[in-house]
Amino acid sequence: MKVVALVSGGKDSCYAMMKCIQYGHQVVALANLMPVDDSVDELDSYMYQTVGHQIIVSYAECMGLPLFRRRIQGSTRQAFMQKLLNGACKAYFSVSNEFCGLFRHEKLTYTTTPGDEVEDMFILLNEVKKQIPSVGAVSSGAIASDYQRLRVESVCSRLGLVSLAYLWKQDQSLLLQEMIASEILAITVKVAAMGLDPTKHLGKDLASLSPYLHKLKGLYGINVCGEGGEYETLTLDCPLFVNARIMLDEFQVILHSSDSIAPAAVLHTLAFHLEHKKWQCSLPGSGETQEICLENKGSVFEVEGDSAQVCDAAVQSAAEVLDSITIAENKLHISRTQKGDTFSICCWLEHSANSSTGVQEDLTAVLRRMELKLAEYGFGWENVLYIHLYIADMKEFTTANETYVRFIKQEKCRFGVPSRSTIELPLLEVGLGNAYMEVLVANDHTKRVLHVQSISSWAPSCIGPYSQATLHKNILHMAGQLGLDPPTMILCEGGVTAELEKALENSEAVAKCFNSSISTSAIVFVVYCSARIPSSERHQIQDKLDVFLKQIRPSHFNKESISEAVDPIFLYILAPDLPKRALVEVKPILFIPEDIEETNGTLKDPSCIRGPSCWGFQHESWHDQCIKKCVVPGELCTIILCVTSEVAMKLGSATSGDENRTDYDNYFTEEQLREISRFCIYLLDRVITENGFSWEDIMYLRLYFPTSLHVPLEKLSFMFTNAFTELAAMDQTLKIDNEPIFNLVPVVGAGNSATSMDDIFTCELMARRL
């Protein structure tokens, strides 16, 4: 991509440009925001470094690139208002937790605010885009500031640009070492931290100051890259400066605070000159010709004017197309669990063999129906924690995504957009439409969302209205992770094990942002496997997963922030295809006991467990082999139940008395399937009640079945609905509504082992009493 680089003059923005070139991008322009008054060194800004701005004008000549500059007209208005509101929130203890939570979320998010300093960046980059239409991305030097990253991402989203933040979440000690090794010559132009003396440390180059910075880190815990405002730098030379280096001739130290512990001072430049280098035709790796290099050399443009509105014609046109789509309401079906505070809703479309509708029409109908269903409960997309999006053909992923983002927008999700996983399922084979959606909904606004849209070296970006992870009441719902190389967003080479390892590394990077690890806090791993993986290689998936978790687990046991490790359970789903033609996708769910709350209600007395009268099933030892569970006593219960052909044989022999039957692999009578459905509900009921939970605690219940059963979904739904009705007759506390409390999900195969994804039914259940 062609990139415009946000430059402050500091080491970070310069090194970020170098990383862009390393990953194959082309820096074609520079952009800088500066004070209105040239004599002012530093503004009270949460966004921009301005110390040393007097020298930035020379970057155009040093690099042979056009420089676009704008004087900062706005102030930190939104941040200031939020600061006041947060103060008010703390002052009045009677304010509800939900109200305070609103401002905890809002202080990082950004909405278009006239007069805010962020709008100056929008105007600046909008002008760059007008002058250089081929620009597709923006580079910034963000390392740890969510405040800055989110605002750059917001501006990029409005302008249709990609945010590149290759320094994001990198280890600061290693990053500082890399910058020095890459021959960036940067000096300190501001100091404001314990241990940094303006008379000794201002004007020092990073290479000589590095050992002392690491010493201060050990003594006081400072950020060695200055991310906490400890110091700021000015780059005088680096490999990007192909034409000249900057030489300071005269400067003075201006003391802003004489605090005896952490004095603050800046270095004000009075005079400088450029020392020209041997002529070079281009930036390293830019591929620019001599002619273009000379044309751009030294050109500086000052951008003025007010905020320009981005044209929404294309979006409006698309909306008109969607308005013309109508699908009969009786073809849309809903299921919903009964839990009051966190529950799942599923919507699918009955497919007609004569129908010519595609994924856009079907998904539009499903999204509309889901929106109406949420509204019935007084909710909207902002209440959604997680979305499972299933489509019939992964080749239609782009169309599906375009339809999705027209309904689920960041503007509708003020507390953060939901996390998401997308896979292809054999929907049409079982009489469903081209799209099928399940959403996990919460009736409060206490979720914490991690949504990084910048491409970086940290983890794969989520460019659009879907997040990497959502934390709600101690459960972290992580988006499906592919084996993508984060800086390039390309699937790694090396086959299924290489993809799986990278997907797990990406999952671990996301978990670390929540002070956790998939090796110690994961309760469930759902691993989606492409049907393109040869059956002879599927054992490698399970082996690699086991080895990876064992390798990283010991490093977390000594950390106080990591709780005692839980033993996760595993579910493997065989799908026709995955996004980007990936071979594997990992979806971990973690239990992170941050804010322990009291358990709601009263735990169910295990003595109330239904006995043998439940359909006449007698508990046998082999029943336990069907169940994998992870239980946090009194708080959480997750279950994977697998009904294999062997289990079906035992059930069949128990009812027919024939222990020698072997014909269960390919065909089941309706009566046999009815018996299996009852057994599934019986066993799930026994496990949840044994552990002190009830059906009213169920957050979600998915029933996976293979299309090789050759049974219509409608018939299976009827069987399981009857099973619940019969259970309700035995237990008056279980209320059955018109809508099913389970989701039937058609798959190629499923199981708790990667080598035997051939279950007749696989049940995935989560119950919570937090």
Side-chain angles (χ1 to χ4, degrees), residues 120-135:
D120 289 298
M121 183 195 299
F122 175 84
I123 296 169
L124 175 64
L125 293 178
N126 190 41
E127 183 62 27
V128 174
K129 190 177 178 183
K130 286 181 180 179
Q131 297 298 325
I132 312 176
S134 60
V135 165

Side-chain angles (χ1 to χ4, degrees), residues 7-11 13-14 31-35 37-43 48-60 62 67 69 71-72 186-191 202-203 231-237 241 246-248 250-254 256 265-272 274:
V7 292
S8 63
K11 65 188 188 314
S13 57
C14 286
N32 169 250
L33 289 134
M34 59 182 178
D37 187 345
D38 286 334
S39 65
V40 173
D41 287 295
E42 186 175 30
L43 296 177
Y48 312 120
Q49 172 189 324
T50 56
V51 180
H53 68 86
Q54 300 90 346
I55 290 178
I56 302 299
V57 67
S58 63
Y59 276 33
C62 289
L67 170 65
R69 307 190 81 188
R71 297 186 184 275
I72 302 170
I187 62 169
T188 53
V189 290
K190 175 186 175 181
V191 293
L202 270 179
Y231 69 92
E232 291 178 1
T233 61
L234 179 65
T235 300
L236 302 179
D237 193 17
F241 290 11
I246 301 167
M247 307 296 293
L248 291 187
E250 189 178 351
F251 57 84
Q252 67 180 111
V253 173
I254 299 177
H256 284 180
V266 298
L267 187 148
H268 177 73
T269 302
L270 299 173
F272 69 94
L274 299 184

Side-chain angles (χ1 to χ4, degrees), residues 46 75-84 86 107 110 116-117 147 151:
Y46 294 143
S75 60
T76 56
R77 293 192 179 192
Q78 188 180 3
F80 177 71
M81 289 303 298
Q82 287 162 352
K83 186 175 181 181
L84 290 178
N86 279 328
K107 70 178 181 178
Y110 177 75
D116 193 285
E117 61 182 353
Y147 184 92
R151 278 152 179 74

Side-chain angles (χ1 to χ4, degrees), residues 497-515:
T497 54
E499 282 190 32
L500 177 59
E501 183 170 16
K502 179 56 69 175
L504 291 169
E505 288 174 359
N506 294 336
S507 301
E508 181 68 3
V510 173
K512 283 182 178 178
C513 292
F514 294 88
N515 246 358

Side-chain angles (χ1 to χ4, degrees), residues 83 152 188 242 347 508 695:
K83 186 175 181 181
V152 172
T188 53
V242 294
C347 183
E508 181 68 3
W695 287 103

Side-chain angles (χ1 to χ4, degrees), residues 404-607:
Y404 178 96
V405 301
R406 289 169 192 150
F407 282 84
I408 304 173
K409 303 173 182 290
Q410 295 188 56
E411 293 79 9
K412 293 182 179 180
C413 303
R414 54 182 174 152
F415 305 106
V417 290
S419 302
R420 188 185 84 175
S421 67
T422 305
I423 64 170
E424 178 183 319
L425 289 180
L427 302 176
L428 299 176
E429 294 180 34
V430 294
L432 297 178
N434 292 279
Y436 183 122
M437 176 179 281
E438 178 192 333
V439 301
L440 185 64
V441 186
N443 69 356
D444 59 32
H445 297 143
T446 59
K447 68 179 181 181
R448 281 178 48 200
V449 167
L450 177 66
H451 184 202
V452 180
Q453 298 185 74
S454 300
I455 294 178
S456 68
S457 298
W458 162 72
S461 62
C462 288
I463 302 174
Y466 30 90
S467 300
Q468 280 90 354
T470 302
L471 180 63
H472 179 252
K473 293 189 175 178
N474 306 338
I475 302 176
L476 184 68
H477 306 272
M478 197 178 297
Q481 296 293 321
L482 302 177
L484 294 171
D485 177 45
T488 63
M489 294 296 288
I490 296 173
L491 281 173
C492 64
E493 299 179 351
V496 64
T497 54
E499 282 190 32
L500 177 59
E501 183 170 16
K502 179 56 69 175
L504 291 169
E505 288 174 359
N506 294 336
S507 301
E508 181 68 3
V510 173
K512 283 182 178 178
C513 292
F514 294 88
N515 246 358
S516 189
S517 168
I518 60 172
S519 66
T520 57
S521 299
I523 51 178
V524 179
F525 281 97
V526 179
V527 183
Y528 299 113
C529 306
S530 169
R532 293 185 296 114
I533 304 171
S535 56
S536 60
E537 296 180 12
R538 291 175 189 168
H539 70 93
Q540 299 176 13
I541 300 172
Q542 199 161 333
D543 293 343
K544 172 58 72 174
L545 181 54
D546 291 342
V547 169
F548 184 90
L549 295 177
K550 287 177 182 177
Q551 284 178 339
I552 67 171
R553 178 176 282 201
S555 63
H556 295 278
F557 275 126
N558 295 327
K559 293 186 178 181
E560 293 181 1
S561 59
I562 303 294
S563 63
E564 185 178 350
V566 294
D567 291 322
I569 54 179
F570 301 88
L571 172 61
Y572 298 87
I573 304 293
L574 197 58
D577 203 0
L578 300 173
K580 295 182 179 288
R581 299 288 287 168
L583 294 174
V584 67
E585 179 177 334
V586 180
K587 190 192 72 173
I589 301 175
L590 281 64
F591 179 72
I592 305 176
E594 286 189 324
D595 307 310
I596 299 298
E597 302 175 9
E598 291 185 6
T599 301
N600 295 323
T602 305
L603 292 181
K604 189 163 184 175
D605 184 355
S607 64

Side-chain angles (χ1 to χ4, degrees), residues 12 141-145 167-170 172 175 179 225 227:
D12 302 337
I143 297 176
S145 172
L167 311 190
W168 181 249
K169 289 291 183 185
Q170 299 303 292
Q172 291 189 40
L175 200 52
M179 291 179 188
C225 280
E227 278 299 286

Side-chain angles (χ1 to χ4, degrees), residues 639-659:
I639 303 171
I640 303 296
L641 184 156
C642 295
V643 177
T644 62
S645 295
E646 290 75 19
V647 171
M649 288 173 62
K650 291 178 179 179
L651 285 174
S653 64
T655 57
S656 67
D658 184 358
E659 300 182 359

